[in-house]
Structures are given as structure tokens and as C-alpha cells.
């Protein structure tokens, strides 16, 4: 078993809310004098409760994180905004200190929270390679040795002696990433830096990262791009409001993250039977809104989930407060990573005219042969004036379960982990 | 099995670093700083190269500034106000004070914006924070060297003219004086930089604070013109004996007051120590408040 290279024990970090912005000496003195005299804080807004020791004013960006990372692991860190991902990376990179707990590290850490940190616009590309490299703790000889390689990777040999301020933003980023990619720490920490550059360069970076991982180095990778997490990471951690929610194989953690939001939004148990989404018309304050989604079979009987290659009817109940003579309804089905798999619209795709009347109406979208394999998919609905604007759009309104079936009579049930769409086909010798 | 277990146990405590909520206040991490000496060199290089890109006069600015200040002082304080300069030609008298004062104020100004001026950089990558002010220490030293050579040229000219200037053996103390000036600028700068992360008011204060500080230091007047009842207060100004000694060693005018020098040494040590403590305390979490 490979040795542990990072050991995080009971790590917490709290930030004080609201107090930070008000940091002028006069206000702090006023607060301090008031406290000495036992008076309430003079700067609190009236009606706001004084929280004494200010426990309420704290936000725990991280709380009680315990984590062990082994050598050679490529760990993806995922979670919504404010989940504490960046805080964790900042503490690991020694940018800010934790409130409690400790991290023990074995090996040289290189962290890339941003590409091009410390680039100086007046200096040339070459000078900036040295400067940036030194900031990332690369010794001078190492940079000199790799200089040609870096310039080549960035595809910049022509402009390397031009001041960086004359570069386009894409060029700057390419140069910056080239430096970063040639950093050779034992542990690499990366925050979303792949979200830059054009598609070709991104691919190149991903390739480089894969290489790094294969060399047996440990990588911690934060990203919102689930595809890159899935393709790079051997293990993933899900953070939620500063708490470590899930840890395990990448697929499982990513899936639980992607479906969690929607499932949390929709408490399926409270829906009338046969509905996969429902809300009261009264609860809606939008001009156009979807108030219910039902799955039905061809006999118009409600069913709980779709079945691969079986007919499926999605009944959309929608409410409108005004009339739209030429409207359109769109049904969208996405994979869990957000890839759009199916899109069916009355207009412009199908050419079915739709007059939306004020009040509550419904429309059926009929799939004669549901093409998706077994697993969870995300359903989205849009109400639109076709080609003009969306009156309502929720790209992930609810989850649609598909039950896999042995459609080819092979004893294998097609599931979404293997492939998403099943199509009728033949083989010929 | 047994052997692998033993191996695991022996491997366990070999952590290369441990991140904990609180560090040691006096720990300057000089070892780590030494590892980053390339970075310090590059910062100095950056400061120097970038500062004068797209300027016509380039590094010439380093001696134009003190030269013009000296000329201005000579005209205003020397000719118009006719203030005493201990019998030394006013030009070289003012220049001596300005050159060493510029080093001090340069270090102080640069160090005091360490945190606020580099928040973006510090927020993204770790390196010993001290590298930034230390780099300033060196880049200001280079600027001082240029001005110093310039000063020596003028000094030579005045000696050649026979203006009653007598450089003496105390010239050898120049490095000590510089070190004390650097330590004071560095210490004060660190205190201010630590405080500005919370109180931005201080950034405003630094600019004109230094100006006021110059007037309460014997730059434009010799200590000898000071009334006796004020001398005690001047004794508390750690800059005063340094400038006085600097001028005495090169110009032969003025006095050396070793008691004042001792006080200055103590005050500077205390400020430097306080600066280090505050810098170290701030360094770890300033990003949360900046």
C-alpha cells in the first residue's frame, strides 16, 4: 500500500461575517470601549441581536475535515459554490492558516490556484518565466534547463522576448500554464486552471495533467467540470457547506453530487402518485411556469419510471398568466454530467403549432421508443416563443429514472455507466 | 509482513511540513527564505527593470530625485531661510542627509505596503512573505548605492575646492548606519503593513507621516542648532544620531553622541522585534481580513 502523503486531521476554518468590512480603527476602538464599559456594540444595526461572543457571526468554511491522501492518488474535490473547496486548497497551499486541526504533508507541494501568478506586464515572456517559476518555488537552474521545453509547450518562441503586456490574454494564459505544467512537485494542487485557453490548448493541458498523474505523483484537483474530474481522478471527495460528505471512487461521488441538488429540491415523496415533479399553482409567481410533470404509458396510465425502448409519455402541466399565440414547449433530457442527450420541441423542431391560453393546461410529449439506457437522467422543460425568447426555462427540473432492460436478449442490461443511448442495430458478416 | 509493518511505522513520522493554526511568533523562517533566494533576486530585478521601462531617463531618476531635492533645500533653507549648516556648504550638507534619509524612507514605504500591495499574489501562491520586503531592502540598497556614488563625487568636488570638509575614520561606520536605517525602516514598515491589513487609514498616514518625520529629524538642520530643552526629545528619535553621525563622518561637522546612539539602537531593536512579531501574526491569516 502506498504511503500517506497528506494527512488532514480535524481541520476547520471559520470566517467572521460582516465584521471584516468595517475595519477602521475608529470603529474598532468604539467597539472596544463599549465592551469595556459593558455596553452593547455601538455599531450593530438596531434590531439586530448582539451575539455576545459573536458565535452567530461565524461561518465555518470547513468543519472537522479528516482526510488521508495516499501517494499517487489523483483526488478530485467537488462541491457547490461555498462548499469550502477553495478554502481547503488555500490552507493546503499555506495561503491562510486553519482555525483548528492540522495537516501533515510529506513531500514538496506545488499549488496552482491561478495561472500566471505574479506575471509582470512590463517584463518579457522569458523574464516572466523565471519570475513565475521562482514564485512557484522552482529553482533557477531547473527553469533554465526547462526553458526551451516551456517555450515550445506554450507555442511562443516568436514572442518570448516581447513584454507580456503586448500579449493577448490567451497567449498569457498559455505561457503561464506552460510554466506551471513544468513544475515538478511531488504533490500538485490545482484549482480550476483548466478553464482557460482555447479547446485545443485545454486538451493539451489535460494530457499533461494525465502524464503527471501517471508519474506516480499525487494530485489534488478542484473543478466544476465533471468530465475532467472523471477523466483524471482516481478518487473524489464531495464537500458540502464545509463538511466532507462523501469520499470514494470518482464515478460514485460525482454522480451523487450531480443528482443531489435536484433530488434535494424535489421532495418526491410529497408529490401525488405518478408525478415526478409537482407544485401548487398558487405557489407559482411566474407568468409562465411548469407546475407538474407526469410519466405515463400508452394507455395513459401513470408509471414511476421510463423503461429502455418502451413507449413513454411525458405529460407537462403548465400554467400561463397571459396568452401566447405562437408558443412552444421544449423537453430536454440531459445526462448527469450535463450533456444534452435529447431535445424535443413543438416549435421549431417538430413544427407543431401551440397556442398557449391563460390558465392551467397540459401537453403530452410522446416517445414511441425511449432510447436511453438504465440510470438517472435529468429532465428540463422550457416554454418559449420559438426562436425569440424563453418565457420559462429550467434545464434541470427533476430526475427521470430509466429502468434498463435486456433489449438485445443478451443477458446484459444496458446501463448509463456503460453507454447512454441504445439504438436498434444489426451486424452483418 | 512484519518488516513492512516496521517500515510503515518508521516512515510515518517523516512529515516534511505540518500546517497548524498558530506558528511561532519569532520564527522568521530564514532557512526557507534562503531557499527562495532566487525569487528575492528576481523581485529585485523586477523592481529595477520594470520601474524604468518606457522612461527616457531610466535609472538616472535615482540621482535626479535627490539632486533636485538638494537644490531645492539649498535655495529655500540655505539661501532664503539662511539656516545654519555647521559651517559646511549647504549643498553637500543637505545632500548627505537626503541620501541616507531616502534609503530609510524608501525601505519604509515599500515595506509598509507588503500585504495590501501584494494581496492578489499572496492569495494565490505561497512563498515566504518576507521575500517581498527583503527584496525591497536590496532594491533600495542599489538605489542608495547609485546615490551614494553621486554623493561621493560631489564630496570630492567640495574637498578639492577646499570647503573645510574633513572626512574621518568614522566613515567606516557607514555600513552600521545603513543597517540601522534599514532595520528601522523594515521594522516600522512591517508594523504598518500588518496594521494596514485591517486599518486602511494608515496607508494615507504613511506618505505624509514620512514627510513630517523628516522635519523632526536633523536633515535640514544640524543637531547643534537645537535648543537644549528639545534635545532630550530629539534623543528619542532613533534617526537623529544616525544622520548626525553620517554627516560627521563625511563632512567633519556636527557631533557624535554615543548615549543617543545607544538609545537609538535600543529603540530600533524594539521596533524591529515588534515588527517581526506583528508581521508573523498577520502573515498567516491576513487574507481573511485584507
Amino acid at each position: 500500500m502506498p504511503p500517506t502523503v497528506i494527512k488532514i486531521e480535524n481541520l476547520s476554518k471559520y470566517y467572521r461575517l460582516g465584521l471584516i468590512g468595517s475595519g477602521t480603527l475608529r470603529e474598532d476602538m468604539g467597539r472596544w470601549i463599549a465592551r469595556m464599559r459593558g455596553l452593547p456594540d455601538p455599531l450593530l444595526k438596531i434590531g439586530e441581536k448582539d451575539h455576545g461572543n459573536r458565535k452567530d457571526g461565524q461561518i465555518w468554511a470547513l468543519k472537522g475535515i479528516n482526510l488521508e491522501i495516499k501517494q499517487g492518488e489523483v483526488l478530485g474535490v467537488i462541491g457547490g459554490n461555498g462548499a469550502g473547496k477553495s478554502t481547503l486548497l488555500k490552507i493546503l497551499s499555506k495561503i491562510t492558516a486553519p482555525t483548528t486541526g492540522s495537516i501533515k504533508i510529506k513531500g514538496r507541494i506545488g499549488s496552482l490556484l491561478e495561472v500566471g501568478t505574479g506575471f509582470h506586464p512590463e517584463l518579457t515572456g522569458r523574464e516572466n518565466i523565471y519570475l513565475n517559476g521562482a514564485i512557484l518555488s522552482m529553482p533557477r537552474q531547473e527553469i533554465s534547463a526547462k526553458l526551451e521545453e516551456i517555450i515550445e509547450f506554450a507555442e511562443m518562441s516568436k514572442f518570448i522576448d516581447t513584454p507580456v503586456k503586448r500579449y493577448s490574454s490567451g497567449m498569457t494564459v498559455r505561457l503561464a500554464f506552460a510554466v506551471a505544467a513544468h513544475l515538478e512537485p511531488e504533490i500538485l494542487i490545482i484549482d480550476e486552471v483548466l478553464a482557460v485557453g482555447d479547446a485545443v490548448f485545454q486538451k493539451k493541458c489535460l494530457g499533461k495533467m494525465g502524464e503527471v498523474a501517471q508519474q506516480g505523483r499525487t494530485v489534488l484537483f478542484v473543478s466544476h467540470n465533471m468530465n475532467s474530474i472523471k477523466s483524471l481522478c482516481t478518487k473524489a471527495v464531495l464537500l458540502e457547506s464545509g463538511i466532507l460528505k462523501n469520499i470514494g471512487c470518482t464515478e460514485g461521488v460525482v454522480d451523487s453530487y450531480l443528482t443531489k441538488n435536484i433530488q434535494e429540491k424535489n421532495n418526491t415523496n410529497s408529490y401525488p402518485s405518478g408525478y415526478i415533479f409537482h407544485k401548487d399553482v398558487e405557489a407559482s409567481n411566474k407568468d409562465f411556469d411548469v407546475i407538474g410533470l407526469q410519466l405515463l404509458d400508452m394507455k395513459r396510465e401513470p408509471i414511476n419510471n421510463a423503461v429502455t425502448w418502451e413507449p413513454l409519455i411525458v405529460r407537462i402541466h403548465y400554467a400561463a398568466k397571459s396568452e401566447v399565440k405562437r408558443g412552444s414547449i421544449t423537453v430536454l433530457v440531459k445526462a448527469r454530467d450535463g450533456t444534452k442527450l435529447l431535445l424535443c420541441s413543438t416549435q421549431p423542431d417538430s413544427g407543431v403549432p401551440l397556442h398557449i391560453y391563460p390558465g392551467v393546461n397540459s401537453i403530452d410529449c410522446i416517445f414511441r421508443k425511449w432510447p436511453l439506457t438504465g440510470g438517472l437522467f435529468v429532465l428540463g422543460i422550457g416554454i418559449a416563443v420559438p426562436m425569440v425568447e424563453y418565457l420559462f426555462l429550467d434545464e434541470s427540473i427533476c430526475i427521470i429514472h430509466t429502468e434498463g432492460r435486456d433489449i438485445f436478449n443478451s443477458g446484459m442490461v444496458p446501463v448509463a455507466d456503460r453507454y447512454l443511448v441504445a439504438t436498434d442495430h444489426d451486424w452483418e458478416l | 509482513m512484519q518488516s513492512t509493518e516496521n517500515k510503515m511505522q518508521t516512515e510515518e513520522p517523516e512529515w516534511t511540513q505540518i500546517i497548524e493554526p498558530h506558528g511561532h511568533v519569532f520564527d522568521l523562517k530564514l532557512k526557507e527564505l534562503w531557499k527562495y533566494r532566487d525569487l528575492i533576486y528576481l523581485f529585485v530585478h523586477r523592481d529595477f527593470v520594470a520601474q524604468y521601462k518606457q522612461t527616457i531617463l531610466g535609472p538616472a531618476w535615482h540621482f535626479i530625485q535627490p539632486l533636485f531635492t538638494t537644490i531645492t533645500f539649498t535655495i529655500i533653507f540655505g539661501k532664503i531661510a539662511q539656516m545654519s549648516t555647521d559651517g559646511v556648504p549647504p549643498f553637500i550638507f543637505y545632500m548627505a542627509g537626503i541620501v541616507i534619509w531616502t534609503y530609510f524612507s524608501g525601505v519604509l514605504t515599500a515595506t509598509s505596503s507588503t500585504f495590501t500591495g501584494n494581496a492578489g499574489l499572496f492569495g494565490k501562491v505561497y512563498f515566504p512573505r518576507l521575500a517581498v520586503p527583503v527584496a525591497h531592502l536590496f532594491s533600495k540598497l542599489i538605489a542608495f548605492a547609485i546615490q551614494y556614488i553621486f554623493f561621493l563625487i560631489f564630496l570630492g568636488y567640495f574637498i578639492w575646492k577646499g570647503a573645510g570638509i574633513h572626512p574621518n575614520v568614522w566613515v567606516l561606520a557607514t555600513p552600521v548606519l545603513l543597517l540601522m536605517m534599514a532595520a528601522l525602516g523594515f521594522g516600522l514598515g512591517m508594523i504598518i503593513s500588518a496594521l494596514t491589513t485591517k486599518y486602511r487609514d494608515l496607508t494615507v498616514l504613511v506618505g505624509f507621516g514620512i514627510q513630517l518625520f523628516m522635519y523632526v529629524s536633523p536633515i535640514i538642520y544640524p543637531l547643534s542648532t537645537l535648543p537644549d530643552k528639545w534635545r532630550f526629545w530629539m534623543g528619542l528619535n532613533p534617526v537623529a544620531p544616525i544622520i548626525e553621525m553620517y554627516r560627521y563622518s563625511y563632512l567633519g561637522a556636527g557631533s557624535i553622541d554615543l548615549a543617543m546612539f545607544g538609545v537609538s539602537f535600543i529603540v530600533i531593536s524594539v521596533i524591529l522585534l515588534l515588527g517581526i512579531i506583528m508581521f508573523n501574526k498577520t502573515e498567516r491569516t491576513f487574507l481573511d481580513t485584507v
Side-chain angles (χ1 to χ4, degrees):
Chain A
M1 193 148 116
T4 305
V5 287
I6 299 177
K7 192 172 188 182
I8 301 175
E9 284 169 310
N10 190 30
L11 189 76
S12 300
K13 172 81 184 173
Y14 88 87
Y15 288 105
R16 288 188 295 165
L17 282 177
L19 294 173
I20 290 153
S22 65
T24 65
L25 186 58
R26 191 171 53 86
E27 288 173 2
D28 268 18
M29 290 301 256
R31 201 174 267 147
W32 184 72
I33 291 166
R35 201 162 57 212
M36 289 289 113
R37 294 165 62 194
L39 297 174
D41 189 334
L43 292 162
L44 275 179
K45 289 197 185 93
I46 291 172
E48 227 176 281
K49 242 198 191 159
D50 184 357
H51 16 67
N53 56 5
R54 303 194 191 287
K55 269 208 171 123
D56 296 339
Q58 301 174 353
I59 178 164
W60 289 89
L62 287 175
K63 203 164 186 185
I65 303 283
N66 287 295
L67 186 61
E68 271 190 37
I69 302 163
K70 301 245 182 296
Q71 192 184 342
E73 269 183 356
V74 182
L75 186 77
V77 181
I78 55 177
N81 289 329
K85 306 184 295 288
S86 296
T87 308
L88 179 62
L89 259 52
K90 272 185 181 162
I91 295 174
L92 270 168
S93 325
K94 295 207 287 183
I95 284 162
T96 186
T99 308
T100 67
S102 70
I103 302 177
K104 291 173 183 144
I105 297 163
K106 208 183 287 174
R108 190 159 78 126
I109 274 206
S111 65
L112 282 180
L113 301 193
E114 181 189 67
V115 289
T117 312
F119 263 37
H120 197 291
E122 294 285 355
L123 299 181
T124 66
R126 192 187 303 273
E127 288 169 321
N128 266 313
I129 292 179
Y130 278 100
L131 182 60
N132 189 227
I135 286 176
L136 297 172
S137 81
M138 242 194 278
R140 203 173 159 72
Q141 303 94 307
E142 202 181 316
I143 306 170
S144 295
K146 286 181 187 158
L147 191 65
E148 288 310 311
E149 213 181 312
I150 291 172
I151 296 170
E152 195 146 309
F153 186 86
E155 303 159 24
M156 298 283 309
S157 44
K158 257 196 248 167
F159 319 103
I160 201 65
D161 290 310
T162 310
V164 163
K165 65 177 174 182
R166 309 253 179 263
Y167 286 16
S168 75
S169 56
M171 284 158 80
T172 317
V173 162
R174 271 199 338 251
L175 184 65
F177 193 87
V179 180
H182 289 82
L183 185 71
E184 282 182 353
E186 284 140 336
I187 301 162
L188 186 60
I189 296 176
I190 307 164
D191 190 3
E192 293 272 29
V193 282
L194 291 178
V196 292
D198 59 15
V200 178
F201 192 73
Q202 270 189 31
K203 215 170 234 172
K204 200 166 161 182
C205 297
L206 276 169
K208 184 81 192 171
M209 306 258 304
E211 245 174 69
V212 170
Q214 272 161 21
Q215 287 162 358
R217 274 181 271 157
T218 315
V219 182
L220 251 93
F221 180 44
V222 162
S223 180
H224 283 117
N225 184 335
M226 294 305 149
N227 285 331
S228 37
I229 290 262
K230 273 188 185 172
S231 63
L232 286 172
C233 302
T234 52
K235 206 172 168 185
V237 167
L238 174 63
L239 289 179
E240 202 187 301
S241 316
I243 294 163
L244 203 152
K245 265 282 147 85
N246 199 348
I247 177 165
C249 79
T250 316
E251 291 279 327
V253 176
V254 168
D255 284 355
S256 74
Y257 168 61
L258 287 171
T259 49
K260 184 201 60 111
N261 290 338
I262 304 168
Q263 274 166 345
E264 219 164 61
K265 193 166 80 180
N266 304 342
N267 186 5
T268 335
N269 298 335
S270 65
Y271 295 158
S273 82
Y275 278 84
I276 54 171
F277 174 78
H278 180 82
K279 73 169 155 194
D280 291 326
V281 196
E282 291 79 27
S284 163
N285 51 6
K286 296 189 188 112
D287 289 344
F288 297 88
D289 205 354
V290 169
I291 53 166
L293 289 170
Q294 269 182 300
L295 299 183
L296 310 167
D297 63 12
M298 288 309 259
K299 286 176 257 163
R300 301 296 196 267
E301 293 291 334
I303 49 176
N304 288 324
N305 47 263
V307 181
T308 310
W309 281 16
E310 291 291 314
L312 173 74
I313 296 167
V314 177
R315 179 167 289 171
I316 303 144
H317 301 271
Y318 60 96
K321 292 207 171 110
S322 56
E323 185 180 356
V324 181
K325 284 206 174 103
R326 288 206 191 102
S328 156
I329 292 216
T330 305
V331 175
L332 176 72
V333 182
K334 297 193 296 182
R336 280 168 299 183
D337 63 8
T339 313
K340 291 174 186 172
L341 296 172
L342 308 174
L343 191 144
C344 315
S345 67
T346 56
Q347 284 276 15
D349 297 296
S350 308
V352 177
L354 176 72
H355 193 138
I356 297 174
Y357 294 98
V360 175
N361 291 290
S362 70
I363 185 168
D364 288 355
C365 182
I366 302 159
F367 295 90
R368 306 217 171 271
K369 193 172 172 187
W370 182 248
L372 303 181
T373 56
L376 300 179
F377 296 89
V378 179
L379 198 64
I381 304 290
I383 302 172
V385 180
M387 315 301 284
V388 179
E389 58 168 341
Y390 274 105
L391 304 166
F392 169 88
L393 180 65
D394 188 344
E395 282 202 23
S396 33
I397 200 165
C398 68
I399 300 261
I400 177 166
H401 292 260
T402 301
E403 192 186 307
R405 240 194 36 183
D406 184 10
I407 41 178
F408 301 118
N409 293 317
S410 61
M412 287 271 279
V413 175
V415 285
D417 285 343
R418 281 189 73 217
Y419 58 100
L420 301 168
V421 180
T423 183
D424 223 344
H425 62 283
D426 291 308
W427 292 90
E428 229 172 64
L429 282 173
Chain B
M1 198 64 206
Q2 191 70 40
S3 69
T4 52
E5 233 177 63
N6 280 336
K7 209 175 154 198
M8 282 291 283
Q9 271 170 1
T10 52
E11 260 178 19
E12 273 296 317
E14 280 177 27
W15 303 110
T16 45
Q17 50 175 300
I18 294 173
I19 299 172
E20 275 170 331
H22 304 289
H24 302 283
V25 280
F26 292 111
D27 186 9
L28 271 180
K29 289 170 272 197
L30 291 177
K31 226 175 171 179
E32 204 183 3
L33 198 64
W34 177 245
K35 270 202 234 159
Y36 278 82
R37 58 190 182 277
D38 285 341
L39 181 64
I40 297 175
Y41 164 75
L42 284 161
F43 275 149
V44 174
H45 176 80
R46 178 194 69 179
D47 283 351
F48 226 71
V49 172
Q51 197 179 356
Y52 296 111
K53 284 230 169 149
Q54 283 195 9
T55 61
I56 296 164
L57 294 174
W61 282 111
H62 278 307
F63 55 83
I64 290 172
Q65 247 168 306
L67 180 65
F68 276 70
T69 318
T70 307
I71 293 172
T72 314
F73 280 13
T74 309
I75 294 169
I76 296 177
F77 301 116
K79 299 279 183 237
I80 301 173
Q82 304 223 327
M83 284 167 75
S84 158
T85 53
D86 273 359
V88 172
F91 184 87
I92 200 73
F93 179 89
Y94 295 131
M95 190 169 222
I98 286 165
V99 164
I100 194 160
W101 176 262
T102 308
Y103 180 57
F104 164 73
S105 72
V107 169
L108 174 55
T109 318
T111 309
S112 65
S113 63
T114 301
F115 287 122
T116 42
N118 293 286
L121 184 57
F122 287 177
K124 292 300 178 189
V125 68
Y126 175 81
F127 53 85
R129 300 330 191 189
L130 217 50
V132 172
V134 167
H136 286 312
L137 222 49
F138 285 110
S139 52
K140 299 297 173 200
L141 193 64
I142 296 171
F144 171 79
I146 295 172
Q147 293 165 5
Y148 180 69
I149 291 168
F150 205 58
F151 165 70
L152 288 185
I153 293 170
F154 274 95
L155 191 70
Y157 169 76
F158 278 99
I159 293 173
W160 175 71
K161 250 182 68 180
I165 293 166
H166 313 288
N168 49 53
V169 73
W170 285 100
V171 165
L172 297 175
T174 308
V176 177
L177 300 182
L178 267 184
L179 205 67
M180 285 174 75
M181 277 305 219
L184 182 64
F186 198 62
L188 272 181
M190 285 202 287
I191 293 173
I192 295 168
S193 76
L195 289 175
T196 38
T197 60
K198 261 194 107 179
Y199 310 114
R200 291 302 164 82
D201 319 41
L202 282 169
T203 40
V204 188
L205 195 76
V206 172
F208 91 108
I210 287 180
Q211 232 168 352
L212 292 183
F213 195 10
M214 192 185 83
Y215 288 108
V216 298
S217 305
I219 312 284
I220 49 175
Y221 49 87
L223 267 188
S224 61
T225 54
L226 224 58
D228 275 346
K229 54 181 174 178
W230 290 0
R231 287 202 76 136
F232 169 75
W233 298 107
M234 187 52 91
L236 293 179
N237 179 353
V239 174
I242 297 174
I243 288 169
E244 192 68 9
M245 189 190 252
Y246 182 83
R247 240 173 358 219
Y248 178 80
S249 60
Y250 287 90
L251 308 178
S255 59
I256 289 181
D257 186 338
L258 286 176
M260 252 174 100
F261 209 79
V263 173
S264 163
F265 191 82
I266 293 167
V267 171
I268 290 175
S269 305
V270 169
I271 287 176
L272 187 63
L273 203 68
L274 196 67
I276 289 169
I277 295 171
M278 289 178 74
F279 192 90
N280 270 350
K281 274 199 84 166
T282 312
E283 178 190 66
R284 299 180 63 81
T285 53
F286 89 98
L287 269 163
D288 309 340
T289 52
V290 77

